[in-house]
Amino acid sequence: MPIAWATAWRTWQMTRRAYPWTYAVGTVLPAALAISLAYLGYHAIGGGTVAADFQQGSGTTAYLAYVVVGATAFQFTVRLILWSAKALITEQRQGTLGALLVAPAGRFPYLLGFTVFAVLSSLVEFLTLGLVIAALGVSVPVSSAAGALLGALALVAAVFALSVGLGGLMIAAGEAHISQNTVFIVLGLVGGFTFPRDYLPLWAQWFAELLPTTSAMDVLHGAFTGGQSLPDLLPRLGVCALLTAAYLLLGLLYLPRAEARAVERTY
Amino acid sequence: MTTSVKAAIEVRALRKEFPVRDKGIFGPRGVKRAVDGLDLDVPRGRITGLLGLNGAGKTTTIKTVATLLRPTSGRVTVDGLDTVTDARAVRRRINLIAGGERMVYTRMTGRENLWYFGQLYDVPKKELRPRIDDLLALVGLTDVADTMVERYSRGMTQRLAIARGLVNRPAYLLLDEPTLGLDAPIARDLRRVVARLAEEGTGVLLTSHYLAEVEELCGHVYVISAGRHLAAGSPAELKAATGTHRTIRLTVTTPSPATAAVATRFGADLELLPTGAELITLRHPDDMAGPLAAAIVEAGGSIGGLEIAEASLEDAILALADGSREAATV
Ligand SMILES: Nc1ncnc2c1ncn2[C@@H]1O[C@H](COP(=O)(O)OP(=O)(O)OP(=O)(O)O)[C@@H](O)[C@H]1O
Ligand SMILES: [Mg+2]
């Protein structure tokens, strides 16, 4: 996919010139903070033990490891959305949307390029985050390495699919701030990242099932702290694949309309 | 159903309405009809002009042809391909250069920009390198090819945007005020480039506020007003049709009621100059300079100066616009 690579390379060049390298360190602070707070809460309030309902919901007593997986995944999700969903509105703001839209290149490889860039640049952030986690002395068990890898891929695909439509909404509305923060709050609250969804009211649990990231998170938690093997994880992977395909399809169908609307809005 | 597939852009009964809200975002919704039943043909190998006053609907028309806007009704085809249903195929054949928009990335060099857009147009690797060099030379940016665009001047950025518009060797080039803000010599170079491309077979649709530019370049011109067709033809035909062929300015150094009567008889305008002389201005399709001067002399006036100006396309457009405004108020 030459367009995906060209877009990833271009984004890398532009980002490298726009931000100092310390930026990559700064962006992991929210995750580092979330993990540190969990650490404090676990030891200072929980006395180093977890409640029975947590164990029931998460399948583990390794609360800190659970939070490390969840907070890292959430951080990664946020980064991916910030790059992929905001790609088009950024073009619009810098006056290049028209030049992009008159070109025949498909939006799928273009957006994929942003995701490729976001994934690669997140690896640097993971290293930084790894240092924080190591400093706190949290060890994360891995019950299925293959499951963890597939779960990570599923999460990338799910977030990508979500970002396609979200990016369309952003350019159509000419607004990114409210949309992105709404998505972050919703995902953080009901997406099953840092705490089991059993704590949520039933309607919120069902709502979470509609998000493609939820099943990916179940796979990730299951493959790390959940003690599950690959066959245990396959059903949730399947759900994730279906939802991802649905979101992607709807997003790609909606994008041309959103683009036309964006052009109408900014004349 | 019969669709004639010919090598041209064909705009048929195009109408484009924009939703507008009258008072704030919660105000009642209305529509603004920017283009209202327009027909245009842009064949290959010719520069077709699209003229009209501000807000006439030129940019809306060009953006619709460029697949950026969807027609409210009517249709636009490019070599028989519909701009909505075959947008991808249309985009391969066209490109758009809009003088008012940036259209290039500032945090990349000129060369990187052209390379990236070359990728978006799927230009084969072997062709892209030499093409980028050619384009940079064409717009005079070879020396700053590896400088970041954010250090370019406005005119340089615009020239890069022009090179970007040529990166896919479009069969049709859509130019919306391409020389806006360019220095005269650079604008002239651009006109040469466009003229050459048209000679080589590119179909060009051009809007410009510099009517001299349109007159110089365009083989055929459409004049629109409030999104509607007003007139069409070659610049010469338009000038002939509006009847403002020549403007004669004759100065009478010794004005008298008799000379004024002559002027009135010819249907000319009279203006008393600060010097005490009188300026007689006559617009007429025929060359009336001789008869007018003779009549003035006969009436006892002495002529201080005589000036004959051929009508420009600008005069013709102004006359057309005046006409449409009058027609609208009747
Ligand atoms: N996106 C839009 N939303 C609402 N109204 C619009 C939009 N684009 C254009 N219009 C309106 O439609 C009319 C035609 O606009 P357009 O930009 O096509 O004119 P133009 O001929 O290019 O004018 P100019 O010479 O000023 O560039 C104008 O009245 C304009 O205000
Ligand atoms: Mg315009």
Side-chain angles (χ1 to χ4, degrees), chain B residues 45-299:
Chain B
R46 183 179 84 182
I47 304 177
T48 304
L50 183 58
L51 295 185
L53 303 181
N54 290 134
K58 305 180 294 291
T59 299
T60 304
T61 304
I62 284 208
K63 281 189 173 170
T64 311
V65 174
T67 75
L68 297 182
L69 290 171
R70 295 166 171 227
T72 303
S73 67
R75 73 194 291 244
V76 180
T77 56
V78 176
D79 292 348
L81 298 161
D82 189 283
T83 52
V84 176
T85 52
D86 307 309
R88 179 84 55 96
V90 169
R91 287 170 186 171
R92 272 189 241 283
R93 286 164 201 250
I94 60 163
N95 212 327
L96 167 70
I97 297 170
E101 288 175 44
R102 165 114 58 65
M103 297 194 123
V104 289
Y105 297 97
T106 52
R107 280 216 174 83
M108 291 208 289
T109 68
R111 191 187 301 280
E112 286 169 348
N113 265 287
L114 295 181
W115 176 83
Y116 181 65
F117 283 105
Q119 302 301 309
L120 293 185
Y121 282 94
D122 205 13
V123 180
K125 210 180 203 165
K126 277 211 192 75
E127 286 173 38
L128 187 56
R129 299 250 159 230
R131 191 179 296 181
I132 289 174
D133 288 333
D134 289 350
L135 287 174
L136 287 167
L138 186 73
V139 295
L141 292 175
T142 305
D143 292 345
V144 289
D146 299 306
T147 302
M148 212 82 82
V149 173
E150 58 190 2
R151 305 230 183 85
Y152 283 17
S153 70
R154 213 177 101 68
M156 288 157 78
T157 309
Q158 170 112 12
R159 272 139 68 194
L160 182 64
I162 289 165
R164 182 209 60 78
L166 301 174
V167 80
N168 62 325
R169 299 248 165 106
Y172 299 95
L173 194 53
L174 309 169
L175 302 172
D176 194 8
E177 319 245 359
T179 55
L180 192 71
L182 288 183
D183 286 341
I186 293 160
R188 189 195 53 212
D189 289 349
L190 175 66
R191 286 198 291 275
R192 284 195 191 136
V193 170
V194 172
R196 214 192 60 211
L197 286 170
E199 269 164 32
E200 292 168 3
T202 307
V204 180
L205 180 59
L206 169 77
T207 80
S208 174
H209 277 118
Y210 306 111
L211 291 166
E213 182 168 290
V214 173
E215 191 165 0
E216 176 190 331
L217 290 174
C218 295
H220 192 84
V221 175
Y222 291 94
V223 186
I224 62 173
S225 170
R228 291 209 192 97
H229 174 94
L230 210 55
S234 67
E237 284 165 354
L238 283 178
K239 286 190 287 190
T242 51
T244 53
H245 241 207
R246 291 180 182 76
T247 305
I248 298 160
R249 291 194 181 80
L250 189 141
T251 321
V252 184
T253 45
T254 54
S256 67
T259 59
V262 171
T264 315
R265 181 155 53 85
F266 275 82
D269 292 335
L270 275 176
E271 189 188 344
L272 197 62
L273 298 177
T275 56
E278 202 164 46
L279 178 68
I280 298 176
T281 307
L282 175 62
R283 287 176 227 275
H284 201 280
D286 301 325
D287 187 357
M288 298 300 283
L292 178 65
I296 292 290
V297 172
E298 209 167 288

Side-chain angles (χ1 to χ4, degrees), chain A residues 3-184:
Chain A
I3 292 166
W5 284 115
T7 305
W9 182 85
R10 166 176 81 76
T11 310
W12 156 243
Q13 291 300 323
M14 291 173 66
T15 311
R16 184 174 66 84
R17 288 161 186 168
Y19 303 104
W21 67 271
T22 45
Y23 182 72
V25 178
T27 51
V28 301
L29 284 178
L33 192 67
I35 293 169
S36 304
L37 282 176
Y39 183 85
L40 266 180
Y42 179 62
H43 286 291
I45 303 165
T49 58
V50 292
D53 54 359
F54 177 85
Q55 190 185 353
Q56 203 181 358
S58 68
T60 182
T61 53
Y63 172 66
L64 286 177
Y66 185 92
V67 169
V68 160
V69 171
T72 305
F74 186 67
Q75 177 71 38
F76 178 69
T77 298
V78 167
R79 305 290 304 147
L80 224 56
I81 289 178
L82 284 180
W83 280 112
S84 311
K86 285 181 84 175
L88 287 171
I89 199 163
T90 305
E91 302 275 1
Q92 189 173 32
R93 286 172 180 167
Q94 65 194 9
T96 48
L97 186 66
L100 177 74
L101 298 188
V102 291
R107 222 58 71 217
F108 179 77
Y110 165 85
L111 291 172
L112 198 59
F114 276 89
T115 297
V116 168
F117 167 79
V119 169
L120 292 179
S121 67
S122 295
L123 295 180
V124 182
E125 299 176 6
F126 283 156
L127 289 180
T128 321
L129 202 53
L131 292 178
V132 175
I133 294 162
L136 291 174
V138 182
S139 72
V140 181
V142 183
S143 62
S144 165
L149 190 67
L150 286 175
L153 286 176
L155 184 65
V156 172
V159 176
F160 174 72
L162 195 61
S163 297
V164 173
L166 184 60
L169 287 176
M170 285 179 178
I171 49 168
E175 189 287 327
H177 203 71
I178 298 174
S179 338
Q180 86 195 26
N181 286 320
T182 306
V183 170
F184 294 158

